[in-house]
Amino acid sequence: LESERQLAKNKAAEREAKEEIIALSESSRVMSPHTALLVLETEEDYMRFDIKRDQLSPILVVTDSGVELIRREDILLPPLPDALPADEPVIPEKNSSNSSCDDSGCHDEEPGEQDEESADGDMMRS
């Protein structure tokens, strides 16, 4: 649109393209060379500029027929799952002294099995 505005044949076409850019910028809530970012800090600011806080902008989506703007109100979301029961939290038990962990996971050791260090510093099973 900005290219169309810059290449417009006359002032009326340029003005029309600019108005379209501004309208698209405002509805999509993105800045353009012809709009500015307005920071609102209080409820009074929203009321002063007549901006609805719960106003949702459309979403740009890719569909089978191309790129479209979809109103958020028209999107059907699946229902949320039921809440999980608020039971006591499950706290994992600490490793017992008869288990060892390595890169492949944690394993229970047989009683009497213990690690020994070899002469070169590697761990060996006895």
Side-chain angles (χ1 to χ4, degrees), residues 102-120:
D102 58 22
D103 290 339
S104 65
C106 294
H107 314 281
D108 289 332
E109 295 178 359
E110 295 298 321
E113 198 178 295
Q114 58 188 26
D115 292 336
E116 291 182 8
E117 198 169 321
S118 68
D120 60 350

Side-chain angles (χ1 to χ4, degrees), residues 76-121:
L76 297 175
L77 297 175
L80 294 173
D82 293 334
L84 297 174
D87 294 337
E88 291 293 320
V90 177
I91 300 173
E93 295 181 22
K94 292 183 179 179
N95 285 345
S96 66
S97 59
N98 289 348
S99 67
S100 65
C101 298
D102 58 22
D103 290 339
S104 65
C106 294
H107 314 281
D108 289 332
E109 295 178 359
E110 295 298 321
E113 198 178 295
Q114 58 188 26
D115 292 336
E116 291 182 8
E117 198 169 321
S118 68
D120 60 350

Side-chain angles (χ1 to χ4, degrees), residues 10-110:
N10 55 48
K11 290 290 182 186
E14 181 181 348
R15 186 174 37 257
E16 185 179 319
K18 182 178 178 180
E19 288 173 3
E20 191 175 349
I21 292 169
I22 291 170
L24 184 59
S25 175
E26 289 175 347
S27 68
S28 301
R29 296 184 177 175
V30 295
M31 291 179 55
S32 76
H34 311 289
T35 57
L37 180 64
L38 178 63
V39 177
L40 304 176
E41 297 177 348
T42 66
E43 287 298 322
E44 290 77 23
D45 290 339
Y46 282 89
M47 292 171 26
R48 181 171 132 209
F49 293 103
D50 193 31
I51 297 174
K52 297 177 182 151
R53 289 195 66 139
D54 59 351
Q55 183 177 356
L56 299 174
S57 59
I59 300 173
L60 188 64
V61 295
V62 178
T63 65
D64 292 336
S65 59
V67 178
E68 298 177 22
L69 280 175
I70 305 252
R71 292 178 353 135
R72 291 176 190 247
E73 297 85 13
D74 296 338
I75 297 174
L76 297 175
L77 297 175
L80 294 173
D82 293 334
L84 297 174
D87 294 337
E88 291 293 320
V90 177
I91 300 173
E93 295 181 22
K94 292 183 179 179
N95 285 345
S96 66
S97 59
N98 289 348
S99 67
S100 65
C101 298
D102 58 22
D103 290 339
S104 65
C106 294
H107 314 281
D108 289 332
E109 295 178 359
E110 295 298 321

